[in-house]
Structure formats: structure tokens, C-alpha cells
Amino acid sequence: MDVLEILRNESQKCIRCGFCVYVCPSWNAHGKLEYYSPRARVTLIRSMLEENFNINDAIDSLFTCNTCMRCLAECPTGINVADLIIYARHYSLQKINKE
Amino acid sequence: MDKKIVDELARAVGRENIIMDEASMKIFEYGAVDSHKGTPDLIIHVTEREQVSKILKIAYNYSIPVVTRGSGSSVTGAVAPTKGGIVLDLRGLDKIKVNIDDGIVEAEVGATVLDVDNECKKYGFFFPPDPASARVATIGGALAENAGGMRGARYGVMRDWVLKIEVVLSDGTVTYFGESTYKNRAGYDLLGLIVGSEGTLAIITKAWLKIMPLPEKIVRIAGFFNTLDDAGEAIFRIRREGINPLILEFADKEGVEAANKVKGFSYPELPGGMVLVDVDGPKNGVDSIADRVIKIMQETHAAQIIRPETPSEMERIMDVRRVAFTAPGRLYPGFIDGDIAVPLSRIKEALIGVDKIRKKYNVFIATVGHAGDGNLHPNIGADPNNKEEWERAEKAAEEINLLAIELGGTVSAEHGIGKLKEDVLIKQFQVRGQMPMYKLMKEIKKIFDPKNILNPDKYALG
């Protein structure tokens, strides 16, 4: 399975309920700005896959996740956002290198 | 948006609170469902209540739409900025102050329902309404939708627990509806009008809410059934025989399966699903009430009855009900929210009727709900990219709403109308002879919001 397929399969499980947001240390540390929440990161990954959004325009959102996995414990659909973020970072860096 | 207006807003609320990057626009396009969406012109991260008035004065002057947002967990499209404009993110308003002497809690609207409840618990009290999404649902969102929740079987909805609100009118005027007293007959009940108005009449910035002392003891009982008929009978009899449960919830087989998979549980996955009951009372009296519930479950042929004893076991079984709501989202990329309520005596017919619709359209439906107050959430999962499948899902959703109307119920119990239920809302009004009321609703909207800037294009108000 390639990186994009993994990103697609996992991110489309997100129902954007926001349970992940409140436990996220990154969101709390950034004054409760949605941009720094797990839900936003997953939404942006979906936008990249479905609407050709350039994920590198949201690079600080991706790279401020500290992969603590608190969001996984809260997610009712069981998305491992930390894993997803690591794959997305990998994809993002590959894209930068190509460019 | 014109730079001049952006500069004016920046002077009013601070440029650091104005968000305009493309990524954030994508994030705020919708709530918890993407069937209704729109791109905002800008987002304002509100940090002080006074900012809301300043923003609305400017928005009113330039006739700019304003969509108010808490956690964005609406499942009806209510927070989608379908007409663009400004999205107000109010989660920065999160101060909470408990006042035991007066039996109230004062909360800014960005505080979550769970935070308010937890703050009250420090003093031996609690805040009764508890949407299943309490850990993310904000007080503002819960008031705007008149949310209920699991304890609704006993304690009703947000309207029953709010005494007073601070609001900002569409032209930026700040005023108050209600009083921080348990009784108040001064003036029309405009507070009741605002609660449940989904941000279309005014923006709530603070609320004064009633609280209750914590019960001495809660006993939780879960019954698993072989048929929906038996589960429905158990729900009906628990209410009919005079038991006043704290919660009386239902999750069907699909919901239990989803919870087992996500959480690694192994609760029975039976065709009749799970009925979950909390009873409360004094330590020396609650067991006899629990025994009556167990007896009813036995008499209605429960295949298995579980009475968890430890707090962690109790929490685990509650998680089944919480996670069950999300079952369609886990399995399908698209989700259609169901939120019907029927008279208590018709709950069994509703459960069986939904099951027939599921079979008729061959769609995935996971039904959960606050069965104790007649509220069911038959949530549909389908793939929006599969045109044929999505059409079947939409037809099933419509038929479920028509079933609710036919049974003397309503198409929206606690999730609101938003964009999703505009058509069926009008259908319900037509069937019930309430079109004159609908006309009054539209007139009231014009009085409160003459320029139609407050959450426009929602609630069948245009």
C-alpha cells in the first residue's frame, strides 16, 4: 500500500466530531486555534487528496503535532492520527524534495 | 473581502485574531458533515465577549454574513458558511463560575458542556443536560441547538436549564434575556425564542444555568435483546411502570459491533441491540429501583443483562453507546444524521419501522438514541461518490423523517435543522397545520435580523 492510499483510507474515517481537539496539547498550546488541532490536520490531508490542496501550505500545522496519540484514545472511529501525520510529513518532504 | 473592511475588523479585534489563510478556510468550510459547505471570507478567533459586539456592528454596516461556531460538531450543516462572510470561532470564551448559593453556574459560550459539568462536580453539583458529545459540545452550540442528551429522559433539554443569556443583536447591541432567578415572568419569553434558533436571531455570549446536587448513587444496567420488539417493549415498560430513569438509552446491533471493534470490547451483538439504563437515588433505595428494571428486562426476554459494579466497568459500557453513534462514519465516507422523536408509546413502532426502511433501501443504518424521551438517531452510512448508493441513503433518510411525522413525532429532536432538514421541517409544519407558525417565524427573523446576516441560508428561513 502506498503512502497516498494509507492517507486516503485513514483520513476518510474522520467524522470531524472534534473529540480529538480538546485533548491535543498542540491545540491548547496555540491558544485553541483550530489550525493546530488533529481534526484540522486530517481535514487538510483530505483536502490534499480530494481537492489538490498543497499540503505544504499547511506545513506548520503538520509539524506542530507531537504525535502523543492522545487523540487516538478519544477518536470514536479509531483513527491513529499520529501515524497519519507521520505519513503526511513523509509525503510533504518528498514533495518538497521533488520541487 | 474588501481590505478596508478587514482593516476595520482588525482595528476592532486585533489583527492577530483574524485568520485568512487558505488552509484555515478549508478547515472551517463545514461542521461534522460535508454535504453542506461554503468557504468563509475570514475567520475571527474571539477572545473577549466585547469583540462580538464590535464585529457585528461592522458586519451589520456592510451586510456581511456571520456564522457563529463553537466546536463545529453540528451534523446538520448549521455551521457551514454557505453564503461566505465571517465565521466566529467562540471557543476562546470559556470562563466558568459556579454559584452554589444561588444554584447556578455562569458560563461563557465557548466552555464545553463537560467542563461546566466537571466544574459543578467540584462542589457536589452537576449540570443535567449531557449531549453524548458533551466533551466537545460548547454551551453556546448546545443552547443554539437546544441540545438534550442522555439525561434528557429525566432532565429534558438545554431550555429547561437556562435562566438568562447575554446576547449580541444583529446590529451589535448587547442585551440580556431572562434573569438569574429560578422564576421570572418579566416580559415575553424571548430567552426561549433564542434557545434553539441556531444563530439565526442573535449571538449568545454568556449563559446563567441551573444546577442540581449530585445523586448519592447511580446503578447502571445494560440489557441485550434478540429482537427489536423485545427491546422496544422493555423501553416502553420501564417508562410505563413509573420508573423515572436518569438515562434510558438504546444502541442497535450495528452500533454495538462498531463499539466492540473500535474499543476492543466483546459485548453481545444481538439483533435487538442494547438497552442501557441508569437509575439513581439514595444509597439505601436505589437497588430496589434497579431490581425493578432488571425484572422488566427479564420479562421482556433480555438474552443477557449486565450490571457493572466498578466505575471503569460502568464507563466502558457507556462507551458502547457513545461510540455507536459514529458507526456509519467509521464504515462509510458519507453520513446522514437521523434525529427523530416520537411519543413514548410509539418507540417500538419507530424502531421496527426504521429497520423496515433499512431493508427496503438496503442501506447501512445504525440506530442509537435517547429512547427514554422518544428520541432516536437512525444514522445512515453511504458513499457520496457512489451516486446510486447515496440516492438510496437519501431516500431512506427522507422516509425515516416521514415515519416520525406519521407516528405523531418530529423530524428534529435535538440536533436542529441547519441545511439538512429544511425540506422535512416544512413538510412537518404542513402536515400539522403549522404553516401560520412558520410565517410568524419568518416575520420574527426579519425583526431580529433585518439584513439577514445572522447564519443566513439556514433553518428554512432563506
Side-chain angles (χ1 to χ4, degrees), chain B residues 138-389:
Chain B
T138 60
I139 289 293
L143 284 168
E145 299 295 339
N146 197 12
M150 305 212 195
R151 293 192 287 246
R154 166 84 61 77
Y155 294 116
V157 293
M158 287 296 285
R159 176 62 190 95
D160 303 318
W161 295 90
V162 58
L163 299 169
K164 175 181 173 180
I165 48 175
E166 178 183 83
V167 297
V168 183
L169 303 178
S170 70
D171 65 355
T173 304
V174 178
T175 188
Y176 300 85
F177 295 153
E179 294 292 346
S180 55
T181 53
Y182 272 43
K183 285 184 175 175
N184 172 40
R185 272 301 327 277
Y188 283 165
D189 183 13
L190 296 188
L191 164 61
L193 191 59
I194 301 299
V195 176
S197 66
E198 304 189 14
T200 61
L201 298 180
I203 296 177
I204 310 169
T205 47
K206 186 179 171 183
W208 285 255
L209 308 158
K210 286 193 284 187
I211 58 178
M212 288 279 286
L214 279 165
E216 266 184 44
K217 186 179 175 184
I218 294 173
V219 176
R220 185 161 292 161
I221 303 146
F224 295 84
F225 292 83
N226 279 318
T227 68
L228 287 172
D229 199 56
D230 287 342
E233 185 64 19
I235 292 164
F236 174 68
R237 277 191 54 192
I238 288 167
R239 295 303 308 241
R240 183 68 183 77
E241 293 183 20
I243 293 167
N244 187 15
L246 183 61
I247 72 164
L248 174 43
E249 293 289 310
F250 174 77
D252 71 359
K253 178 175 178 275
E254 283 72 18
V256 177
E257 274 174 359
N260 280 345
K261 274 183 197 146
V262 172
K263 295 287 181 182
F265 300 153
S266 54
Y267 291 108
E269 298 170 359
L270 301 177
M274 173 184 81
V275 175
L276 185 67
V277 186
D278 273 9
V279 291
D280 66 333
K283 275 182 188 164
N284 56 3
V286 70
D287 284 328
S288 64
I289 307 171
D291 289 344
R292 286 173 64 200
V293 171
I294 289 170
K295 187 164 176 282
I296 290 170
M297 286 187 174
Q298 287 166 339
E299 287 170 1
T300 50
H301 317 113
Q304 191 172 339
I305 298 170
I306 297 172
R307 179 181 160 163
E309 295 295 341
T310 67
S312 66
E313 283 173 351
M314 287 174 75
E315 195 55 27
R316 206 158 49 233
I317 208 152
M318 181 58 78
D319 257 353
V320 175
R321 165 59 188 85
R322 289 198 193 103
V323 174
F325 184 85
T326 66
R330 179 180 157 72
L331 299 168
Y332 293 88
F335 170 90
I336 302 177
D337 173 61
D339 177 36
I340 60 171
V342 296
L344 298 179
S345 61
R346 314 297 295 270
I347 195 88
K348 191 159 74 173
E349 289 169 82
L351 281 171
I352 292 168
V354 168
D355 195 47
K356 280 183 186 161
I357 292 168
R358 178 177 66 79
K359 286 171 184 154
K360 177 179 171 185
Y361 290 101
N362 188 27
V363 288
F364 179 88
I365 303 178
T367 300
V368 299
H370 315 300
D373 56 20
N375 179 193
L376 294 177
H377 299 303
N379 296 320
I380 304 175
D383 182 357
N385 299 313
N386 181 336
K387 193 166 173 280
E388 188 273 329
E389 182 179 88

Side-chain angles (χ1 to χ4, degrees), chain B residues 33 39 41 56-57 63 66 69 74-75 91 98 131 142 162 205 220 272 274 291 307 370 381 389 411 414 429 440:
Chain B
V33 288
T39 308
D41 292 307
L56 279 191
K57 278 177 185 157
S63 299
V66 178
R69 182 178 160 121
S74 161
V75 286
R91 279 174 298 175
V98 180
V162 58
T205 47
R220 185 161 292 161
M274 173 184 81
D291 289 344
R307 179 181 160 163
H370 315 300
E389 182 179 88
V411 298
E414 58 175 9
F429 287 165
L440 280 171

Side-chain angles (χ1 to χ4, degrees), chain A residues 13 15-19 21-22 27 31-35 39-40 43-44 46-47 51 53 57 73-74 76-77, chain B residues 22-23 26-28 30-34 37 45 71-73 91 94 112 135-136 262-263 323 326 329-330:
Chain A
K13 284 189 210 162
I15 56 166
R16 285 197 294 277
C17 62
F19 280 33
V21 176
Y22 287 81
W27 178 73
K32 299 188 173 182
L33 284 174
E34 181 76 18
Y35 181 74
R39 176 171 61 179
T43 301
L44 292 171
R46 278 179 74 164
S47 293
E51 299 168 4
F53 171 70
D57 286 344
E74 294 295 320
T77 65
Chain B
E22 190 196 349
K26 295 232 163 269
I27 297 162
F28 283 86
Y30 27 54
V33 288
D34 49 12
K37 62 194 278 190
H45 183 64
S71 287
S73 56
R91 279 174 298 175
D94 57 1
T112 66
R135 65 183 80 179
V136 300
V262 172
K263 295 287 181 182
V323 174
T326 66
R330 179 180 157 72

Side-chain angles (χ1 to χ4, degrees), chain A residues 19-20 23-24 38 68-75 79-82:
Chain A
F19 280 33
C20 56
V23 295
C24 176
C68 66
M69 299 185 21
R70 285 188 189 188
C71 47
L72 172 60
E74 294 295 320
C75 180
I79 302 174
N80 188 334
V81 181

